[in-house]
Amino acid sequence: MSPRPVFVIAGVGTGTGTGAATARLLAQKGWRVALVARNPDNLNNLANEINEAGGEAAGFPVHDYSYNATLSVFDAISAHKWSSADPSEVRGALWNAGVQEVWKPFLEVSEKEIETTLQFNVAAAFGFARGAILAFKENELDERGARGTLLFTGATASIRGNVRTSGIAAVKFAVRALSQSLAKEFGKDNIHVAHAIIDGIISTGPSDVRLDANSIAKNYVYLAEQDRSAWTWELDLRPAHEKW
Amino acid sequence: MSPRPVFVIAGVGTGTGTGAATARLLAQKGWRVALVARNPDNLNNLANEINEAGGEAAGFPVHDYSYNATLSVFDAISAHKWSSADPSEVRGALWNAGVQEVWKPFLEVSEKEIETTLQFNVAAAFGFARGAILAFKENELDERGARGTLLFTGATASIRGNVRTSGIAAVKFAVRALSQSLAKEFGKDNIHVAHAIIDGIISTGPSDVRLDANSIAKNYVYLAEQDRSAWTWELDLRPAHEKW
Amino acid sequence: MSPRPVFVIAGVGTGTGTGAATARLLAQKGWRVALVARNPDNLNNLANEINEAGGEAAGFPVHDYSYNATLSVFDAISAHKWSSADPSEVRGALWNAGVQEVWKPFLEVSEKEIETTLQFNVAAAFGFARGAILAFKENELDERGARGTLLFTGATASIRGNVRTSGIAAVKFAVRALSQSLAKEFGKDNIHVAHAIIDGIISTGPSDVRLDANSIAKNYVYLAEQDRSAWTWELDLRPAHEKW
Amino acid sequence: MSPRPVFVIAGVGTGTGTGAATARLLAQKGWRVALVARNPDNLNNLANEINEAGGEAAGFPVHDYSYNATLSVFDAISAHKWSSADPSEVRGALWNAGVQEVWKPFLEVSEKEIETTLQFNVAAAFGFARGAILAFKENELDERGARGTLLFTGATASIRGNVRTSGIAAVKFAVRALSQSLAKEFGKDNIHVAHAIIDGIISTGPSDVRLDANSIAKNYVYLAEQDRSAWTWELDLRPAHEKW
C-alpha cells in the first residue's frame, strides 16, 4: 500500500468559503482532507458532505486558535484512522483561518482585541506552519520532487495598511512575512510555501464581478501541483471587474 | 465552423526558451500559435516542429522590434491562412521578447544602447499590447467569460534595481507598469493581463535548482485558463532551491 | 507660560543606540524627553547625562513591554513634574523598542518566543501608539500646523522576509502595517506618523560604511519638523557603502 | 579660492513648481544653481529673480529633452563664467523634468506619444544622470564625506499603475529603476542618489490639504545634506490630509 496524501485545511467556516471549496476540490483530486476549525458541527457537516461524495475527509476541531492548538492538531491528524486502510502522509496544508480579525478605527481597538487577534492569527499561524513543516520533512520526495506545500490565504490588507486596518493589517502583514521567510528557508528542502493575496469579496453576482470560492480553490490546487523548477511564492487573485 | 483561438508569442529565440516551450504546450492544447521573432530560420524551424507534431503554428518575422513592427504583426496574423480552414480569433498574446537588454555598469551604457533598449523593449511592448488589446476587443466572451489573455515575461529586474541594472531594470520596470495599468484598465472588458516575475536561470541540472522553460510554460497556460472570478495580475516563479 | 513639548522615546537601551542619540538631539533642540525602557539604571544614567548637559529628561521604566505598560506610561509622563515649571504637551513619540526579537531558524523558534515577541514588539507598539495618539489629539495645532509626530524604527526585516527571519520579520511587518494604517487614519487630524527602514549595523568604522546613531537621530528630528504639506510616511536609511 | 558648489536642476517650468522652489532655496543656502528647461524666457526670469535676491543662478536652455541634450548641458555648465570669480564644482543635480507625460486611456496613446515620452522622460534622464555622475566623480569628498547628490522627482505613478497610466507609469517606473540602480552602484563612490515619490497636487488652499513646492524643496535640500552614514534612497511626500 502506498501512502495517501493528506491536505490539512485550517479555517473552513460554515462551508461556503475558500477553505471548504478547497477541501471539496482536493478530495475530488484524491487527497484526504483534514479539516480544522472551531465549530465541530460545521466540521462534521463538511466532512460528511465530502465523504458522501466519495472523498475522504475528517474534522479536527480546535477549542481556540492558538500556537499550541494548531500545532497539536497535526498529532491528531497523524493518529487518525481513515476509512480506507492506506497509510497517510501530510503533504499539503492551507492556513485559511481568519478569526477575530479587527477592522475598525484604531482608537476603538481594545487591548483584548489586539492580544486575541495576534494569538488567533499570528501565533496560531506559526504553530500551524510548524506542524506542517515538521510533517513535510518526514516525507520522501514525491513524483514532482517535493515534500509538501504550505499555503497561506492573504488579503489586500497583507500588503497595504489603510484607515480602519491597524488591527487586521498588522496580523496579515505578519503572516505574509512568515510565509516569505518560510519559502526562502525551506525551498532548499523542496518544501513549497506560497501566499495568495485575495482581493475582493466572495458574494453572489456574475463571476466577473465577485470572487468565487471555487475559483480560488482551483488556484490553491494549482499551487500544490506546480513543478518544483517554477514555484510561486506569491500571487494575487481578484475578479475581472475589480477596481484596484 | 467555430473559430479557433490563436496565441501570439513574441520572443521565441532559438527554440529552447520560455517562448518556444509555451508555443509547444499551447499547440498541444489546441491553440494555433503565431510565432514572432527576428530570425526567420528560427521561426520556421519551430513552426515546422510544432506542425509536424500535429499542432498549428506559423512564423511572423519582424525586421526589428519596434512599436510599429509588433503592432502590425497582428494584421499579418489576422490575414494568415492556416492549414485548417476554420476561422481564427486572437485570444492570447505573450510578450516574451528580451532583446538588446543592457546589463552593464552605468557609465559603460551608451546613448545608442539606451535608445535601442527603450525601443525594442518598451515601445515595442506598447505596440504589441495595442495589437493584442484591439484583437481581443473584437472577440465575444469565451466559455470562461473572457475576451483574451495578455501575458508579460518579467524578471527580478522588474521589481528591483541593482548595480549593473540601470539599463535592464529601467525597461523591465516600464513593462511591469504597462502590464499593471492594462490589467486595471481592461479587466472590466474581461481582458486578462498578467505579469510573471521569472527569478532564476534556464539551464541544465536538477529541476529544483534551475528554471525549466516547460514549467514556466505550464504557468502561462494556467494563467490563460484562470477563471475570471479569480484572475492573477502578478506571480513570481523560481526553482525550489533558488536563493532570493 | 506656554507649554513645552515632550518627546516620548521607547527603547533607549544602554545609551549607545538610536533611541538615546535621538533623545540627546531632541533635548538640545529644546524638547523635554521622556525615556522609556526596562532597565531603570540605564534610564537614570541617560536622563542624568542629558540633564547635566542642560536638557530636560526623565526616565519612565516599564517592567516589561506590553500593551498596557506602554500605554500607561503616558499617564506617568503626563503626571511628571519637570524641573522647570512650564506645563508640558506630548508632541512626539518614537517607538524604537526592539526587544525579544527572534532571529533564528524557524524550527528553533519556540511557542514562548513567538508569544513574547508578539507581546513585546506588536501589542506593546499598539499600546504605545494609542498613548501617543490620545495625547496628540488633545493638542492644539502647533506653529507648523500639526498636533504631533509618531515615529517607528523599522528594519530591512520590515519589508523582506528571509531565512532565519520568520520571527523578526513577522513583528516588523506588523509594526509597519500599524504605522501605515495610522498615517492614513490620523493624517487628517494633522498627526504625522512615519516609519524608517534602518538598513545596516550601528558599529564602529568610517561613517560611510556603518550606520551612525546620531545620523539616524537627525533624520528623526527632521521628520518631526517636516512641513505638513509634504509629510513622509516612509524612508530608508543606510550607510553610503552598504550593499543592498 | 575654494570651489563653490553648483546644483543642476532640470525642469523648472514657469517658476511656480518644485524645480524653481528648490532652486530658490538652494541659492539662499549658498549654492550656485544651474537651471535647465526648454523655455529660455522662463529660465531667464527665474535666474534674474534669484540673482536679484543675492543668489547666483544661470539658465541653460535645451531645445528638447533628450539623452544628448541633458548630458551635454553639463559641459555648458562647466564652461559657464559665474558672476563671482570662484571656481565651481557640480555637487548636486535634480531631475525634475516631467515633459510630454502621457495620461490617457491606453488605446488613445499614439506611437509618437510613446516614443516622445520615452525620449523626454527616460533617455533624457539617463543622459542627465550620466552628466551628473561624471561630474561628481571628479570631486573630492566634501566635509560630509560625499562627492555629490543626484535627486529624482517621482510620483505615485512611479510605484503603481492604474487605468489611464500606461504611458506615464511606464516612464516613471523606469526612472525609479534607474535611481535605485544608481544608488546601489555609486553609493560605494560616496555619491548619493535618491528618489522622492510626490503624492498630491501642488495647488492653493490650506497647507495640510495641498502640496507646497517650497516644502518639497526643503526635503530636497535635506536629502542633499544627509550624513553619509544614513542616506535615504526613497521617501514619499504628501500633504497631511491626502487620502492614499
Side-chain angles (χ1 to χ4, degrees):
Chain A
M1 291 182 302
S2 66
R4 289 193 53 200
V6 176
F7 215 107
V8 184
I9 301 176
V12 296
T14 57
T16 60
T18 300
T22 305
R24 289 186 192 98
L25 185 56
L26 286 164
Q28 290 168 19
K29 294 247 174 186
W31 289 78
R32 285 173 172 162
V33 287
L35 309 170
V36 179
R38 290 182 297 175
N39 186 309
D41 292 340
N42 287 345
L43 285 178
N44 285 339
N45 289 343
L46 180 60
N48 288 343
E49 177 203 319
I50 290 172
N51 288 324
E52 286 166 14
E56 270 192 288
F60 299 87
V62 289
H63 178 62
D64 257 344
Y65 283 99
S66 69
Y67 184 97
N68 197 51
T70 52
L71 172 58
S72 60
V73 79
F74 282 84
D75 293 331
I77 292 165
S78 290
H80 184 71
K81 303 295 179 196
W82 295 85
S83 54
S84 60
D86 318 83
S88 282
E89 285 175 345
V90 173
R91 288 197 173 265
L94 167 61
W95 178 255
N96 184 60
V99 281
Q100 306 291 341
E101 294 179 343
V102 178
W103 296 87
K104 57 169 71 172
F106 174 70
L107 292 175
E108 296 176 16
V109 181
S110 70
E111 176 182 6
K112 178 69 182 163
E113 285 172 317
I114 287 301
E115 293 187 348
T116 303
T117 200
L118 288 173
Q119 181 199 322
F120 281 28
N121 293 294
V122 186
F126 270 84
F128 186 81
R130 184 180 183 86
I133 298 283
L134 287 174
F136 296 165
K137 285 181 78 86
E138 294 186 7
N139 295 336
E140 298 296 314
L141 298 180
D142 66 13
E143 71 285 350
R144 68 181 180 116
R147 291 185 212 282
T149 304
L150 172 57
L151 306 177
F152 292 88
T153 297
T156 301
S158 304
I159 51 170
R160 194 163 62 228
N162 215 325
V163 293
R164 303 173 62 92
T165 65
S166 56
I168 177 73
V171 301
K172 291 290 186 189
F173 272 55
V175 169
R176 182 171 182 256
L178 170 63
S179 79
Q180 192 181 40
S181 298
L182 296 177
K184 293 186 181 186
E185 184 170 350
F186 294 103
K188 61 182 182 300
D189 295 318
N190 290 20
I191 291 170
H192 183 193
V193 181
H195 182 255
I197 296 171
I198 311 294
D199 182 8
I201 303 291
I202 295 176
S203 65
T204 55
S207 64
D208 46 8
V209 299
R210 63 166 173 89
L211 272 167
D212 184 309
N214 296 309
S215 298
I216 299 172
K218 286 187 203 173
N219 284 283
Y220 285 171
V221 172
Y222 176 71
L223 289 168
E225 295 177 348
Q226 270 186 321
D227 290 354
R228 68 179 186 173
S229 72
W231 274 352
T232 293
W233 163 55
E234 187 164 74
L235 52 68
D236 50 346
L237 293 171
R238 64 178 59 77
H241 291 207
E242 186 75 12
K243 194 173 177 314
W244 57 293
Chain B
M1 292 182 301
S2 66
R4 289 194 52 200
V6 175
F7 214 106
V8 183
I9 301 176
V12 296
T14 58
T16 62
T18 299
T22 305
R24 289 186 192 97
L25 185 56
L26 286 164
Q28 290 167 19
K29 294 249 175 185
W31 290 78
R32 285 173 172 163
V33 288
L35 309 170
V36 179
R38 290 181 298 175
N39 185 310
D41 292 339
N42 287 345
L43 285 177
N44 285 338
N45 289 343
L46 181 60
N48 289 342
E49 177 204 320
I50 289 172
N51 288 324
E52 284 165 16
E56 272 190 288
F60 299 86
V62 290
H63 177 62
D64 257 342
Y65 282 100
S66 69
Y67 184 97
N68 197 51
T70 54
L71 172 57
S72 60
V73 79
F74 282 85
D75 293 331
I77 292 165
S78 289
H80 184 71
K81 301 297 177 196
W82 296 84
S83 54
S84 59
D86 317 82
S88 283
E89 284 175 345
V90 173
R91 287 197 172 266
L94 167 61
W95 178 255
N96 184 60
V99 280
Q100 306 290 341
E101 294 180 343
V102 177
W103 297 86
K104 58 168 73 172
F106 175 69
L107 292 175
E108 296 177 15
V109 181
S110 70
E111 176 181 6
K112 178 68 182 166
E113 284 172 316
I114 288 301
E115 292 187 348
T116 303
T117 199
L118 289 173
Q119 180 200 324
F120 280 30
N121 293 293
V122 186
F126 270 84
F128 186 79
R130 183 181 185 86
I133 298 284
L134 287 175
F136 296 165
K137 285 181 79 86
E138 294 187 6
N139 294 337
E140 298 297 314
L141 298 180
D142 65 14
E143 72 285 349
R144 67 179 181 118
R147 290 184 213 283
T149 303
L150 172 57
L151 305 176
F152 293 87
T153 297
T156 300
S158 304
I159 53 170
R160 195 164 62 228
N162 216 325
V163 293
R164 301 174 63 90
T165 67
S166 55
I168 177 72
V171 302
K172 290 291 186 190
F173 272 55
V175 169
R176 182 172 182 255
L178 170 63
S179 80
Q180 192 182 40
S181 299
L182 295 177
K184 293 187 180 185
E185 183 169 351
F186 294 104
K188 62 182 182 298
D189 294 319
N190 290 21
I191 291 170
H192 182 192
V193 181
H195 182 255
I197 296 171
I198 311 294
D199 182 8
I201 303 292
I202 296 176
S203 64
T204 57
S207 63
D208 47 8
V209 300
R210 65 167 171 87
L211 273 167
D212 184 310
N214 296 309
S215 298
I216 300 172
K218 287 186 201 172
N219 283 284
Y220 285 172
V221 172
Y222 176 70
L223 289 168
E225 294 177 348
Q226 270 186 319
D227 291 352
R228 68 178 186 174
S229 71
W231 274 352
T232 293
W233 163 55
E234 187 165 71
L235 52 69
D236 50 345
L237 294 171
R238 64 177 60 77
H241 291 208
E242 186 76 12
K243 195 172 178 313
W244 56 292
Chain C
M1 292 182 302
S2 66
R4 289 194 52 201
V6 175
F7 215 106
V8 184
I9 301 176
V12 297
T14 57
T16 61
T18 300
T22 305
R24 289 185 192 98
L25 186 56
L26 286 164
Q28 291 168 18
K29 293 249 176 185
W31 289 78
R32 286 173 171 162
V33 287
L35 309 170
V36 179
R38 290 180 298 174
N39 186 309
D41 293 339
N42 287 344
L43 285 177
N44 286 338
N45 290 342
L46 181 60
N48 289 342
E49 177 204 320
I50 290 173
N51 289 323
E52 286 165 14
E56 272 191 288
F60 299 87
V62 290
H63 177 62
D64 257 343
Y65 282 100
S66 69
Y67 183 98
N68 197 50
T70 52
L71 172 58
S72 60
V73 80
F74 282 85
D75 293 332
I77 292 165
S78 289
H80 184 70
K81 301 297 179 197
W82 296 84
S83 54
S84 59
D86 316 84
S88 282
E89 284 175 345
V90 173
R91 287 197 173 266
L94 167 61
W95 178 254
N96 184 60
V99 279
Q100 306 291 340
E101 294 180 343
V102 178
W103 297 86
K104 57 168 71 173
F106 174 69
L107 293 174
E108 296 176 17
V109 182
S110 70
E111 176 183 5
K112 178 68 182 165
E113 285 173 315
I114 288 301
E115 293 187 348
T116 304
T117 199
L118 288 173
Q119 181 200 323
F120 281 29
N121 293 294
V122 186
F126 270 84
F128 185 80
R130 183 181 185 85
I133 298 283
L134 287 174
F136 296 165
K137 287 181 77 87
E138 294 186 6
N139 295 336
E140 299 296 315
L141 298 180
D142 64 14
E143 71 285 350
R144 66 180 182 118
R147 290 183 213 282
T149 304
L150 173 57
L151 305 177
F152 292 88
T153 296
T156 301
S158 304
I159 52 170
R160 193 162 64 228
N162 215 325
V163 293
R164 302 173 61 91
T165 66
S166 56
I168 177 73
V171 302
K172 290 291 186 190
F173 272 56
V175 169
R176 183 172 181 255
L178 170 62
S179 79
Q180 191 180 40
S181 298
L182 295 177
K184 293 186 181 186
E185 184 170 350
F186 293 103
K188 62 181 182 299
D189 295 318
N190 289 22
I191 290 170
H192 183 192
V193 181
H195 182 255
I197 297 170
I198 311 294
D199 181 8
I201 304 291
I202 295 176
S203 65
T204 55
S207 64
D208 46 8
V209 300
R210 63 168 171 88
L211 272 167
D212 184 311
N214 296 309
S215 298
I216 299 173
K218 286 186 203 173
N219 284 283
Y220 285 172
V221 172
Y222 176 70
L223 289 168
E225 295 178 346
Q226 270 186 320
D227 290 353
R228 68 179 186 175
S229 72
W231 274 352
T232 293
W233 162 56
E234 188 165 71
L235 51 70
D236 49 346
L237 293 171
R238 64 178 60 78
H241 291 207
E242 186 75 12
K243 194 173 177 313
W244 57 292
Chain D
M1 291 182 304
S2 67
R4 289 193 53 200
V6 175
F7 215 106
V8 183
I9 301 176
V12 295
T14 56
T16 61
T18 299
T22 305
R24 288 185 193 99
L25 185 56
L26 287 164
Q28 290 168 19
K29 294 247 174 187
W31 290 78
R32 286 174 172 162
V33 288
L35 308 171
V36 178
R38 291 182 296 175
N39 185 310
D41 293 339
N42 288 344
L43 286 178
N44 286 338
N45 290 343
L46 180 60
N48 289 341
E49 176 204 319
I50 290 172
N51 288 324
E52 286 165 14
E56 272 191 288
F60 299 86
V62 289
H63 178 62
D64 257 343
Y65 282 99
S66 69
Y67 184 98
N68 197 51
T70 53
L71 172 57
S72 60
V73 80
F74 282 83
D75 293 331
I77 292 166
S78 290
H80 184 70
K81 302 296 179 197
W82 297 85
S83 54
S84 58
D86 317 84
S88 282
E89 284 176 346
V90 173
R91 287 197 172 265
L94 167 61
W95 178 254
N96 184 61
V99 280
Q100 306 290 340
E101 294 180 342
V102 177
W103 296 86
K104 57 168 72 173
F106 174 70
L107 292 175
E108 296 177 15
V109 181
S110 70
E111 176 183 6
K112 178 69 181 165
E113 285 172 316
I114 288 301
E115 294 187 347
T116 303
T117 199
L118 289 172
Q119 181 200 322
F120 282 29
N121 293 293
V122 186
F126 270 84
F128 185 80
R130 183 181 185 85
I133 299 283
L134 288 174
F136 296 165
K137 286 180 78 86
E138 295 187 6
N139 296 336
E140 298 297 314
L141 298 179
D142 64 14
E143 72 284 350
R144 66 181 183 117
R147 291 185 212 282
T149 303
L150 172 57
L151 305 176
F152 292 88
T153 297
T156 300
S158 303
I159 52 170
R160 194 163 62 229
N162 215 325
V163 293
R164 304 175 62 91
T165 66
S166 56
I168 177 73
V171 301
K172 290 290 186 190
F173 272 55
V175 169
R176 182 172 181 256
L178 170 63
S179 80
Q180 192 181 38
S181 299
L182 295 177
K184 294 187 180 185
E185 184 170 352
F186 294 103
K188 62 181 182 300
D189 294 318
N190 290 21
I191 290 170
H192 183 193
V193 181
H195 182 254
I197 296 171
I198 310 293
D199 182 8
I201 303 291
I202 295 176
S203 64
T204 56
S207 64
D208 47 7
V209 300
R210 64 167 171 87
L211 273 167
D212 184 309
N214 296 310
S215 298
I216 300 172
K218 287 186 201 173
N219 284 283
Y220 285 171
V221 172
Y222 177 70
L223 289 168
E225 294 177 348
Q226 270 187 320
D227 289 353
R228 68 180 185 173
S229 73
W231 274 352
T232 293
W233 163 55
E234 187 164 73
L235 51 70
D236 50 345
L237 294 171
R238 64 178 61 76
H241 291 208
E242 187 75 12
K243 193 172 179 313
W244 56 293

